[in-house]
Coordinates of all heavy atoms in Angstrom, one line a residue:
M1 N 36.8 -84.1 107.7 CA 36.9 -83.6 106.4 C 35.8 -84.3 105.5 O 35.7 -85.5 105.5 CB 38.3 -83.8 105.8 CG 38.5 -83.3 104.4 SD 40.0 -83.8 103.6 CE 41.1 -82.7 104.4
A2 N 35.1 -83.5 104.7 CA 34.0 -84.1 103.9 C 34.6 -84.6 102.6 O 35.6 -84.1 102.1 CB 33.0 -83.0 103.5
T3 N 34.1 -85.8 102.2 CA 34.5 -86.4 100.9 C 33.6 -85.9 99.8 O 32.4 -85.9 99.9 CB 34.4 -87.9 101.0 OG1 35.1 -88.4 102.2 CG2 34.9 -88.6 99.8
T4 N 34.3 -85.5 98.7 CA 33.5 -85.0 97.5 C 33.3 -86.2 96.6 O 34.3 -86.9 96.3 CB 34.3 -83.9 96.8 OG1 34.5 -82.8 97.8 CG2 33.5 -83.4 95.7
I5 N 32.1 -86.4 96.1 CA 31.8 -87.4 95.2 C 31.6 -86.8 93.8 O 30.9 -85.9 93.7 CB 30.6 -88.2 95.6 CG1 30.8 -88.9 96.9 CG2 30.2 -89.2 94.5 CD1 29.5 -89.6 97.4
E6 N 32.4 -87.3 92.8 CA 32.2 -86.8 91.5 C 30.9 -87.2 90.9 O 30.6 -88.4 91.0 CB 33.4 -87.2 90.6 CG 33.4 -86.6 89.2 CD 34.5 -87.1 88.4 OE1 35.5 -87.6 88.9 OE2 34.5 -86.9 87.2
I7 N 30.2 -86.3 90.3 CA 28.9 -86.6 89.7 C 28.9 -86.4 88.2 O 29.5 -85.4 87.8 CB 27.7 -85.7 90.3 CG1 27.7 -85.9 91.9 CG2 26.4 -86.0 89.7 CD1 27.2 -87.2 92.3
K8 N 28.3 -87.3 87.5 CA 28.2 -87.1 86.0 C 26.8 -87.2 85.6 O 26.1 -88.1 86.0 CB 29.1 -88.2 85.3 CG 29.0 -88.0 83.8 CD 30.0 -88.9 83.1 CE 29.8 -88.8 81.7 NZ 30.9 -88.1 81.0
R9 N 26.4 -86.2 84.8 CA 25.0 -86.2 84.3 C 24.9 -87.0 83.0 O 25.7 -87.0 82.2 CB 24.6 -84.8 84.0 CG 23.2 -84.6 83.6 CD 22.8 -83.1 83.6 NE 22.9 -82.5 84.9 CZ 21.9 -82.5 85.8 NH1 20.8 -83.1 85.6 NH2 22.1 -81.8 86.9
K10 N 23.8 -87.8 82.9 CA 23.6 -88.7 81.8 C 22.1 -88.7 81.5 O 21.3 -89.1 82.4 CB 24.1 -90.1 82.0 CG 24.0 -91.0 80.9 CD 25.0 -90.6 79.8 CE 25.0 -91.6 78.7 NZ 25.8 -91.2 77.6
N11 N 21.7 -88.4 80.3 CA 20.3 -88.6 79.9 C 20.1 -90.0 79.5 O 20.9 -90.6 78.8 CB 20.0 -87.6 78.7 CG 20.0 -86.2 79.1 OD1 19.7 -85.8 80.2 ND2 20.5 -85.3 78.2
I12 N 19.0 -90.5 79.9 CA 18.6 -91.9 79.5 C 17.2 -91.9 78.9 O 16.4 -91.1 79.2 CB 18.7 -92.9 80.7 CG1 17.7 -92.5 81.8 CG2 20.1 -93.0 81.2 CD1 17.6 -93.5 82.9
D13 N 17.0 -92.8 78.0 CA 15.6 -93.0 77.4 C 15.0 -94.3 77.9 O 15.6 -95.3 77.9 CB 15.8 -93.1 75.9 CG 16.3 -91.8 75.3 OD1 15.9 -90.7 75.7 OD2 17.2 -91.9 74.3
L14 N 13.8 -94.2 78.4 CA 13.1 -95.3 78.9 C 11.7 -95.3 78.3 O 11.1 -94.3 78.0 CB 12.9 -95.2 80.5 CG 14.2 -95.3 81.3 CD1 13.9 -95.0 82.7 CD2 14.9 -96.6 81.1
P15 N 11.1 -96.5 78.1 CA 9.8 -96.6 77.6 C 8.8 -95.9 78.6 O 9.0 -95.9 79.8 CB 9.5 -98.1 77.6 CG 10.9 -98.8 77.5 CD 11.7 -97.8 78.3
V16 N 7.7 -95.4 78.0 CA 6.7 -94.7 78.8 C 6.1 -95.6 79.9 O 6.0 -95.1 81.0 CB 5.6 -94.2 77.9 CG1 4.4 -93.6 78.7 CG2 6.1 -93.2 76.9
D17 N 5.8 -96.8 79.6 CA 5.3 -97.8 80.6 C 6.3 -97.9 81.8 O 5.9 -98.0 82.9 CB 5.0 -99.1 80.0 CG 3.7 -99.1 79.1 OD1 3.0 -98.1 79.1 OD2 3.5 -100.0 78.3
T18 N 7.6 -98.0 81.5 CA 8.6 -98.1 82.5 C 8.6 -96.9 83.4 O 8.6 -97.0 84.6 CB 10.0 -98.4 81.9 OG1 9.9 -99.6 81.1 CG2 11.0 -98.5 82.9
L19 N 8.5 -95.7 82.8 CA 8.5 -94.5 83.6 C 7.3 -94.4 84.4 O 7.3 -94.0 85.6 CB 8.6 -93.3 82.6 CG 10.0 -93.0 82.1 CD1 10.0 -91.9 81.1 CD2 11.0 -92.6 83.2
R20 N 6.2 -94.8 83.9 CA 4.9 -94.8 84.7 C 5.0 -95.7 85.9 O 4.7 -95.4 87.0 CB 3.7 -95.3 83.8 CG 2.4 -95.1 84.5 CD 1.2 -95.5 83.5 NE 1.2 -94.7 82.4 CZ 1.3 -95.1 81.1 NH1 1.5 -96.4 80.9 NH2 1.3 -94.3 80.1
T21 N 5.6 -96.9 85.7 CA 5.7 -97.9 86.8 C 6.7 -97.4 87.8 O 6.5 -97.4 89.0 CB 6.2 -99.3 86.2 OG1 5.3 -99.8 85.3 CG2 6.4 -100.3 87.4
L22 N 7.8 -96.8 87.4 CA 8.8 -96.2 88.3 C 8.3 -95.1 89.1 O 8.5 -94.9 90.2 CB 10.1 -95.8 87.5 CG 11.0 -97.0 87.0 CD1 12.0 -96.4 86.1 CD2 11.6 -97.8 88.2
S23 N 7.4 -94.3 88.4 CA 6.8 -93.1 89.1 C 5.9 -93.6 90.2 O 5.9 -93.0 91.3 CB 6.0 -92.3 88.1 OG 6.8 -91.7 87.1
I24 N 5.1 -94.7 90.0 CA 4.3 -95.2 91.0 C 5.1 -95.8 92.1 O 4.8 -95.6 93.3 CB 3.3 -96.3 90.4 CG1 2.4 -95.7 89.4 CG2 2.6 -97.1 91.5 CD1 1.6 -96.7 88.5
M25 N 6.2 -96.5 91.8 CA 7.1 -97.0 92.8 C 7.7 -95.9 93.7 O 7.8 -96.0 94.9 CB 8.1 -97.9 92.2 CG 7.6 -99.2 91.5 SD 8.8 -100.0 90.5 CE 9.9 -100.7 91.7
A26 N 8.1 -94.8 93.0 CA 8.7 -93.7 93.7 C 7.7 -93.1 94.7 O 8.0 -92.8 95.8 CB 9.3 -92.7 92.7
A27 N 6.5 -92.8 94.2 CA 5.5 -92.2 95.0 C 5.1 -93.0 96.2 O 4.8 -92.5 97.2 CB 4.2 -91.9 94.1
S28 N 5.1 -94.4 96.0 CA 4.8 -95.3 97.1 C 5.7 -95.2 98.3 O 5.4 -95.6 99.4 CB 4.6 -96.7 96.6 OG 5.9 -97.3 96.3
V29 N 7.0 -94.7 98.0 CA 7.9 -94.5 99.1 C 8.2 -93.1 99.4 O 9.2 -92.7 100.1 CB 9.3 -95.3 98.8 CG1 9.0 -96.8 98.8 CG2 9.9 -94.9 97.5
G30 N 7.4 -92.2 98.8 CA 7.5 -90.8 99.1 C 8.7 -90.1 98.5 O 9.2 -89.1 99.1
K31 N 9.2 -90.5 97.3 CA 10.3 -89.9 96.7 C 10.0 -89.4 95.3 O 9.0 -89.9 94.7 CB 11.5 -90.9 96.6 CG 12.0 -91.4 97.9 CD 13.2 -92.3 97.7 CE 13.7 -92.8 99.1 NZ 14.8 -93.7 99.0
S32 N 10.8 -88.5 94.8 CA 10.6 -88.0 93.4 C 11.1 -89.2 92.5 O 11.9 -90.0 92.9 CB 11.4 -86.8 93.2 OG 12.8 -87.1 93.1
L33 N 10.6 -89.2 91.3 CA 11.1 -90.2 90.3 C 12.6 -90.1 90.1 O 13.3 -91.2 90.2 CB 10.4 -90.0 89.0 CG 10.8 -90.9 87.8 CD1 10.6 -92.3 88.2 CD2 10.1 -90.5 86.6
K34 N 13.1 -88.9 90.0 CA 14.6 -88.8 89.8 C 15.3 -89.3 91.0 O 16.3 -90.1 90.8 CB 14.9 -87.3 89.6 CG 16.4 -87.0 89.4 CD 16.6 -85.5 89.3 CE 18.0 -85.1 89.1 NZ 19.0 -85.4 90.2
K35 N 15.0 -89.0 92.2 CA 15.7 -89.5 93.4 C 15.6 -91.0 93.5 O 16.5 -91.7 93.8 CB 15.1 -88.8 94.6 CG 15.9 -89.0 95.8 CD 17.2 -88.3 95.7 CE 18.0 -88.3 97.1 NZ 19.3 -87.8 96.9
Y36 N 14.4 -91.5 93.2 CA 14.1 -92.9 93.3 C 15.0 -93.7 92.3 O 15.7 -94.7 92.7 CB 12.7 -93.3 93.0 CG 12.3 -94.7 93.1 CD1 12.2 -95.3 94.4 CD2 12.2 -95.5 92.0 CE1 11.9 -96.7 94.5 CE2 11.9 -96.9 92.1 CZ 11.8 -97.4 93.4 OH 11.5 -98.8 93.5
I37 N 15.1 -93.2 91.1 CA 15.9 -93.9 90.1 C 17.4 -93.8 90.4 O 18.1 -94.8 90.4 CB 15.7 -93.3 88.7 CG1 14.3 -93.7 88.2 CG2 16.7 -93.8 87.7 CD1 13.9 -93.0 86.9
E38 N 17.8 -92.7 90.9 CA 19.2 -92.5 91.3 C 19.6 -93.4 92.4 O 20.6 -94.1 92.3 CB 19.5 -91.0 91.7 CG 19.5 -90.1 90.5 CD 19.6 -88.6 91.0 OE1 19.4 -88.3 92.2 OE2 19.8 -87.8 90.1
E39 N 18.8 -93.4 93.5 CA 19.1 -94.3 94.6 C 19.1 -95.8 94.3 O 19.9 -96.5 94.8 CB 18.1 -94.0 95.8 CG 18.4 -92.6 96.4 CD 17.4 -92.3 97.5 OE1 16.5 -93.1 97.8 OE2 17.6 -91.2 98.1
T40 N 18.1 -96.2 93.4 CA 18.0 -97.6 93.0 C 19.3 -98.0 92.2 O 19.8 -99.0 92.5 CB 16.7 -97.8 92.2 OG1 15.6 -97.4 92.9 CG2 16.6 -99.2 91.7
L41 N 19.7 -97.1 91.3 CA 20.8 -97.5 90.5 C 22.1 -97.5 91.3 O 23.0 -98.3 91.1 CB 21.0 -96.5 89.3 CG 19.9 -96.7 88.2 CD1 20.0 -95.6 87.2 CD2 19.9 -98.1 87.6
I42 N 22.3 -96.5 92.2 CA 23.4 -96.5 93.1 C 23.5 -97.7 93.9 O 24.6 -98.3 94.1 CB 23.5 -95.2 93.9 CG1 23.7 -94.0 93.0 CG2 24.5 -95.2 95.0 CD1 23.5 -92.6 93.6
A43 N 22.4 -98.1 94.5 CA 22.4 -99.3 95.4 C 22.7 -100.5 94.5 O 23.5 -101.4 95.0 CB 21.0 -99.5 96.0
K44 N 22.2 -100.6 93.3 CA 22.4 -101.8 92.5 C 23.9 -101.8 92.1 O 24.5 -102.9 92.2 CB 21.6 -101.7 91.2 CG 21.7 -102.8 90.3 CD 21.0 -104.1 90.8 CE 21.0 -105.1 89.7 NZ 20.5 -106.4 90.2
A45 N 24.5 -100.7 91.7 CA 25.9 -100.7 91.3 C 26.8 -100.9 92.5 O 27.9 -101.6 92.4 CB 26.2 -99.3 90.7
S46 N 26.5 -100.4 93.7 CA 27.3 -100.6 94.9 C 27.4 -102.1 95.3 O 28.4 -102.5 95.8 CB 26.7 -99.8 96.0 OG 26.8 -98.4 95.7
G47 N 26.3 -102.8 95.0 CA 26.3 -104.2 95.4 C 26.8 -105.1 94.4 O 26.9 -106.4 94.6
A48 N 27.1 -104.6 93.2 CA 27.6 -105.5 92.1 C 29.0 -105.9 92.2 O 29.8 -105.2 92.7 CB 27.4 -104.7 90.8
K49 N 29.2 -107.2 91.9 CA 30.6 -107.7 91.9 C 31.0 -107.7 90.4 O 30.4 -108.3 89.6 CB 30.7 -109.1 92.4 CG 30.6 -109.2 93.9 CD 30.9 -110.6 94.3 CE 31.0 -110.7 95.8 NZ 31.3 -112.1 96.3
I50 N 32.1 -106.9 90.2 CA 32.6 -106.9 88.8 C 33.9 -107.6 88.7 O 34.8 -107.3 89.4 CB 32.8 -105.4 88.4 CG1 31.5 -104.7 88.4 CG2 33.4 -105.3 87.0 CD1 31.6 -103.2 88.1
E51 N 33.9 -108.6 87.9 CA 35.1 -109.5 87.7 C 35.6 -109.3 86.3 O 34.8 -109.3 85.3 CB 34.8 -110.9 87.9 CG 34.4 -111.2 89.4 CD 34.1 -112.7 89.6 OE1 34.7 -113.5 88.9 OE2 33.3 -113.0 90.5
V52 N 36.9 -109.1 86.1 CA 37.5 -108.9 84.8 C 38.1 -110.3 84.5 O 39.0 -110.7 85.1 CB 38.5 -107.8 84.8 CG1 39.2 -107.7 83.4 CG2 37.9 -106.5 85.1
Y53 N 37.5 -110.9 83.5 CA 38.0 -112.2 83.0 C 38.9 -111.9 81.8 O 38.5 -111.4 80.8 CB 36.8 -113.1 82.7 CG 37.2 -114.5 82.4 CD1 37.9 -115.3 83.3 CD2 36.8 -115.1 81.2 CE1 38.2 -116.6 83.1 CE2 37.2 -116.5 81.0 CZ 37.9 -117.2 81.9 OH 38.2 -118.5 81.7
E54 N 40.2 -112.3 81.9 CA 41.1 -111.9 80.9 C 41.2 -112.9 79.7 O 41.9 -112.7 78.8 CB 42.5 -111.8 81.6 CG 42.6 -110.6 82.5 CD 43.9 -110.3 83.0 OE1 44.9 -110.6 82.3 OE2 44.1 -109.6 84.0
N55 N 40.4 -113.9 79.8 CA 40.4 -114.9 78.7 C 39.7 -114.2 77.5 O 38.5 -113.9 77.5 CB 39.6 -116.1 79.1 CG 39.7 -117.2 78.0 OD1 39.7 -116.9 76.8 ND2 39.6 -118.5 78.4
P56 N 40.4 -113.9 76.4 CA 39.9 -113.2 75.3 C 39.0 -114.0 74.4 O 38.3 -113.5 73.5 CB 41.1 -112.7 74.5 CG 42.1 -113.8 74.8 CD 41.9 -114.2 76.2
S57 N 38.9 -115.3 74.6 CA 38.1 -116.2 73.8 C 36.6 -116.0 74.1 O 36.2 -116.2 75.2 CB 38.5 -117.7 74.0 OG 37.6 -118.5 73.4
P58 N 35.8 -115.7 73.1 CA 34.4 -115.6 73.3 C 33.7 -116.9 73.9 O 32.7 -116.8 74.6 CB 33.8 -115.3 71.9 CG 34.9 -114.8 71.1 CD 36.2 -115.4 71.7
S59 N 34.3 -118.0 73.5 CA 33.8 -119.3 74.0 C 34.4 -119.7 75.3 O 34.1 -120.8 75.9 CB 34.0 -120.4 73.0 OG 35.4 -120.6 72.8
G60 N 35.4 -118.9 75.8 CA 36.1 -119.3 77.1 C 37.0 -120.4 77.0 O 37.3 -121.2 77.9
D61 N 37.6 -120.6 75.8 CA 38.6 -121.6 75.5 C 39.7 -121.7 76.6 O 40.4 -120.7 76.8 CB 39.3 -121.4 74.2 CG 40.1 -122.6 73.7 OD1 40.7 -123.2 74.6 OD2 40.3 -122.8 72.5
P62 N 39.8 -122.8 77.4 CA 40.8 -122.8 78.5 C 42.3 -122.7 78.0 O 43.1 -122.4 78.9 CB 40.5 -124.2 79.1 CG 39.8 -125.0 78.1 CD 39.1 -124.0 77.2
W63 N 42.6 -122.8 76.7 CA 43.9 -122.6 76.3 C 44.4 -121.3 76.7 O 45.6 -121.1 77.0 CB 44.0 -122.8 74.7 CG 45.3 -122.7 74.1 CD1 46.2 -123.7 74.0 CD2 46.0 -121.5 73.6 NE1 47.4 -123.3 73.4 CE2 47.3 -121.9 73.2 CE3 45.6 -120.2 73.5 CZ2 48.2 -121.0 72.6 CZ3 46.5 -119.3 73.0 CH2 47.8 -119.7 72.5
F64 N 43.5 -120.3 76.6 CA 43.9 -118.9 77.0 C 44.1 -118.7 78.5 O 44.6 -117.6 78.9 CB 42.9 -117.9 76.4 CG 42.9 -117.8 74.9 CD1 41.9 -118.6 74.2 CD2 43.8 -117.0 74.2 CE1 41.9 -118.5 72.8 CE2 43.8 -117.0 72.9 CZ 42.8 -117.7 72.1
D65 N 43.7 -119.6 79.3 CA 43.9 -119.5 80.8 C 45.3 -119.8 81.2 O 45.8 -119.4 82.3 CB 43.0 -120.5 81.5 CG 41.5 -120.1 81.4 OD1 41.2 -118.9 81.2 OD2 40.6 -120.9 81.4
D66 N 46.1 -120.4 80.3 CA 47.5 -120.7 80.6 C 48.3 -119.5 80.4 O 48.4 -118.9 79.3 CB 48.0 -121.8 79.6 CG 49.4 -122.3 79.9 OD1 50.3 -121.4 80.3 OD2 49.7 -123.4 79.6
P67 N 49.0 -119.0 81.5 CA 49.8 -117.8 81.4 C 50.9 -117.8 80.3 O 51.1 -116.8 79.7 CB 50.5 -117.7 82.8 CG 49.6 -118.5 83.7 CD 49.0 -119.6 82.8
E68 N 51.5 -118.9 80.0 CA 52.5 -119.0 79.0 C 51.8 -118.8 77.6 O 52.4 -118.1 76.7 CB 53.2 -120.4 79.0 CG 54.1 -120.5 80.2 CD 54.8 -121.9 80.2 OE1 55.0 -122.5 79.2 OE2 55.2 -122.3 81.3
N69 N 50.7 -119.3 77.4 CA 50.0 -119.1 76.1 C 49.6 -117.7 76.0 O 49.8 -117.1 74.9 CB 48.7 -120.0 76.0 CG 49.0 -121.5 76.0 OD1 50.2 -121.9 75.7 ND2 48.1 -122.3 76.3
M70 N 49.1 -117.0 77.0 CA 48.7 -115.6 76.9 C 50.0 -114.7 76.7 O 49.9 -113.8 76.0 CB 48.0 -115.2 78.2 CG 46.5 -115.6 78.2 SD 45.6 -115.0 76.7 CE 45.8 -113.3 76.8
A71 N 51.1 -115.1 77.3 CA 52.3 -114.4 77.1 C 52.7 -114.4 75.7 O 53.2 -113.4 75.1 CB 53.4 -114.9 78.0
S72 N 52.6 -115.6 75.1 CA 52.9 -115.8 73.7 C 52.0 -114.9 72.8 O 52.5 -114.3 71.8 CB 52.8 -117.2 73.3 OG 53.0 -117.4 71.9
V73 N 50.7 -114.9 73.1 CA 49.8 -114.1 72.4 C 50.1 -112.6 72.5 O 50.2 -111.9 71.5 CB 48.3 -114.3 72.9 CG1 47.4 -113.3 72.3 CG2 47.8 -115.7 72.5
M74 N 50.4 -112.2 73.7 CA 50.8 -110.7 73.9 C 52.1 -110.4 73.2 O 52.2 -109.2 72.7 CB 50.9 -110.4 75.4 CG 49.5 -110.6 76.2 SD 48.1 -109.9 75.4 CE 48.4 -108.2 75.6
R75 N 53.0 -111.3 73.2 CA 54.3 -111.0 72.4 C 53.9 -110.8 70.9 O 54.4 -109.9 70.3 CB 55.3 -112.2 72.6 CG 56.1 -112.1 73.9 CD 57.2 -113.1 73.8 NE 56.9 -114.5 73.5 CZ 56.5 -115.3 74.4 NH1 56.4 -115.0 75.7 NH2 56.2 -116.6 74.1
G76 N 53.1 -111.7 70.4 CA 52.6 -111.6 69.0 C 51.9 -110.3 68.7 O 52.2 -109.7 67.7
V77 N 51.1 -109.9 69.6 CA 50.4 -108.6 69.5 C 51.4 -107.4 69.4 O 51.3 -106.6 68.6 CB 49.3 -108.4 70.6 CG1 48.8 -107.0 70.6 CG2 48.2 -109.4 70.4
A78 N 52.3 -107.5 70.4 CA 53.4 -106.4 70.4 C 54.2 -106.4 69.2 O 54.5 -105.3 68.6 CB 54.2 -106.6 71.7
E79 N 54.6 -107.6 68.7 CA 55.4 -107.6 67.4 C 54.6 -107.1 66.3 O 55.1 -106.4 65.4 CB 55.8 -109.1 67.2 CG 56.9 -109.6 68.1 CD 57.1 -111.1 67.9 OE1 56.5 -111.7 67.0 OE2 57.9 -111.6 68.7
H80 N 53.3 -107.4 66.2 CA 52.5 -106.9 65.1 C 52.4 -105.4 65.2 O 52.5 -104.7 64.1 CB 51.1 -107.5 65.2 CG 50.1 -107.0 64.2 ND1 50.1 -107.3 62.9 CD2 49.1 -106.1 64.4 CE1 49.2 -106.6 62.2 NE2 48.5 -105.9 63.1
K81 N 52.1 -104.9 66.4 CA 52.1 -103.4 66.5 C 53.4 -102.7 66.1 O 53.4 -101.6 65.7 CB 51.6 -103.0 67.9 CG 50.2 -103.3 68.2 CD 49.8 -102.9 69.6 CE 48.3 -103.2 69.9 NZ 47.9 -102.9 71.3
A82 N 54.5 -103.4 66.4 CA 55.8 -102.9 66.1 C 56.2 -103.1 64.6 O 57.2 -102.7 64.1 CB 56.9 -103.5 67.0
G83 N 55.3 -103.7 63.8 CA 55.5 -104.0 62.4 C 56.5 -105.1 62.2 O 57.1 -105.2 61.1
L84 N 56.7 -106.0 63.1 CA 57.7 -107.1 63.0 C 57.1 -108.3 62.5 O 57.8 -109.3 62.2 CB 58.3 -107.3 64.4 CG 59.1 -106.1 65.0 CD1 59.6 -106.5 66.4 CD2 60.2 -105.7 64.1
G85 N 55.8 -108.4 62.4 CA 55.1 -109.6 61.9 C 55.3 -109.8 60.4 O 55.8 -108.9 59.7
R86 N 54.9 -110.9 59.9 CA 54.9 -111.1 58.4 C 53.7 -112.0 58.1 O 53.2 -112.7 58.9 CB 56.2 -111.8 58.0 CG 56.3 -113.2 58.4 CD 57.6 -113.8 57.8 NE 57.7 -115.2 58.1 CZ 57.3 -116.2 57.3 NH1 56.7 -115.9 56.2 NH2 57.4 -117.5 57.6
K87 N 53.2 -111.8 56.8 CA 52.1 -112.6 56.3 C 52.6 -113.9 55.9 O 53.7 -114.0 55.3 CB 51.4 -111.8 55.2 CG 50.7 -110.5 55.6 CD 50.0 -109.9 54.5 CE 49.3 -108.6 55.0 NZ 48.6 -108.0 53.9
V88 N 51.8 -114.9 56.1 CA 52.1 -116.3 55.6 C 51.0 -116.8 54.8 O 49.8 -116.4 55.0 CB 52.5 -117.2 56.8 CG1 53.8 -116.8 57.5 CG2 51.4 -117.4 57.7
T89 N 51.3 -117.6 53.9 CA 50.2 -118.2 53.0 C 49.7 -119.5 53.7 O 50.3 -120.0 54.6 CB 50.8 -118.6 51.7 OG1 51.8 -119.6 51.8 CG2 51.4 -117.4 51.0
M90 N 48.6 -120.0 53.2 CA 48.0 -121.2 53.8 C 49.0 -122.4 53.5 O 49.1 -123.3 54.4 CB 46.6 -121.5 53.1 CG 45.5 -120.6 53.7 SD 45.3 -120.8 55.5 CE 44.9 -122.5 55.7
D91 N 49.7 -122.4 52.4 CA 50.6 -123.4 52.1 C 51.7 -123.4 53.2 O 52.2 -124.5 53.6 CB 51.2 -123.3 50.7 CG 50.2 -123.6 49.6 OD1 49.2 -124.4 49.9 OD2 50.3 -123.1 48.5
E92 N 52.2 -122.2 53.6 CA 53.3 -122.1 54.6 C 52.7 -122.6 55.9 O 53.5 -123.3 56.7 CB 53.7 -120.7 54.7 CG 54.6 -120.2 53.6 CD 54.9 -118.7 53.7 OE1 54.0 -117.9 53.8 OE2 56.1 -118.4 53.7
I93 N 51.5 -122.3 56.2 CA 50.9 -122.8 57.5 C 50.8 -124.3 57.5 O 51.1 -125.0 58.5 CB 49.5 -122.2 57.7 CG1 49.7 -120.7 58.0 CG2 48.8 -122.8 58.9 CD1 48.4 -119.9 58.0
R94 N 50.3 -124.9 56.3 CA 50.2 -126.3 56.2 C 51.6 -127.0 56.4 O 51.7 -128.0 57.1 CB 49.6 -126.7 54.9 CG 48.1 -126.5 54.8 CD 47.5 -127.0 53.5 NE 46.1 -126.6 53.4 CZ 45.7 -125.5 52.7 NH1 46.6 -124.8 51.9 NH2 44.5 -125.2 52.6
E95 N 52.6 -126.4 55.8 CA 54.0 -126.9 55.9 C 54.5 -126.9 57.3 O 55.1 -127.8 57.8 CB 54.9 -126.1 55.0 CG 56.3 -126.6 54.9 CD 57.2 -125.9 54.0 OE1 56.7 -125.4 52.9 OE2 58.4 -125.6 54.3
M96 N 54.2 -125.8 58.1 CA 54.6 -125.7 59.5 C 53.9 -126.7 60.3 O 54.5 -127.2 61.3 CB 54.3 -124.3 60.0 CG 55.2 -123.2 59.5 SD 54.9 -121.6 60.3 CE 54.1 -120.7 59.0
L97 N 52.7 -127.0 60.0 CA 51.9 -128.0 60.8 C 52.1 -129.4 60.3 O 51.6 -130.3 61.0 CB 50.4 -127.6 60.7 CG 49.9 -126.3 61.3 CD1 48.5 -126.0 61.0 CD2 50.2 -126.3 62.8
G98 N 52.8 -129.6 59.2 CA 53.0 -130.9 58.7 C 51.8 -131.6 58.1 O 51.6 -132.8 58.2
V99 N 50.9 -130.7 57.6 CA 49.7 -131.3 57.0 C 49.8 -131.5 55.5 O 50.3 -130.8 54.8 CB 48.5 -130.3 57.3 CG1 47.2 -130.8 56.7 CG2 48.3 -130.1 58.7

């Protein structure tokens, strides 16, 4: 049984110099520019390792690596979405922190 691969068409914009270079590279292996670009991108994507890193911190703060901390964050997000959160003032935050 033959496997069907879903194809999606996408227009891309490339600098003229890049297209010229890719055209030369394609011709050197006897392929059309379109076929050469498609095969190159497919090979690159097929060999890529994609890892999803769930730490939401842009700096990679290890605090977020602790599952309990992330569970607390996710509970807070869910409460906020459900409208259960409340606004606090800086004075209230200082009081909670004992500052």
Side-chain angles (χ1 to χ4, degrees):
M1 181 190 283
T3 303
T4 304
I5 298 174
E6 185 178 346
I7 302 290
K8 181 169 174 108
R9 185 171 297 276
K10 184 70 178 175
N11 292 325
I12 60 171
D13 297 320
L14 296 171
V16 173
D17 289 345
T18 300
L19 283 173
R20 186 177 302 119
T21 301
L22 289 169
S23 294
I24 293 167
M25 294 167 72
S28 73
V29 292
K31 294 182 181 178
S32 71
L33 175 59
K34 179 182 181 296
K35 190 70 172 172
Y36 181 78
I37 291 173
E38 288 171 347
E39 288 179 1
T40 301
L41 291 175
I42 290 168
K44 182 75 173 173
S46 297
K49 283 188 175 183
I50 299 175
E51 295 180 28
V52 177
Y53 188 56
E54 295 190 22
N55 184 330
S57 170
S59 65
D61 187 330
W63 184 88
F64 292 97
D65 292 332
D66 184 328
E68 290 181 22
N69 293 342
M70 280 307 298
S72 174
V73 169
M74 298 314 291
R75 280 192 306 274
V77 168
E79 288 173 4
H80 174 74
K81 287 181 178 178
L84 301 175
R86 69 178 186 91
K87 292 183 180 181
V88 293
T89 65
M90 283 304 296
D91 288 336
E92 289 175 302
I93 293 172
R94 285 186 188 99
E95 185 177 321
M96 285 185 255
L97 295 174
V99 180

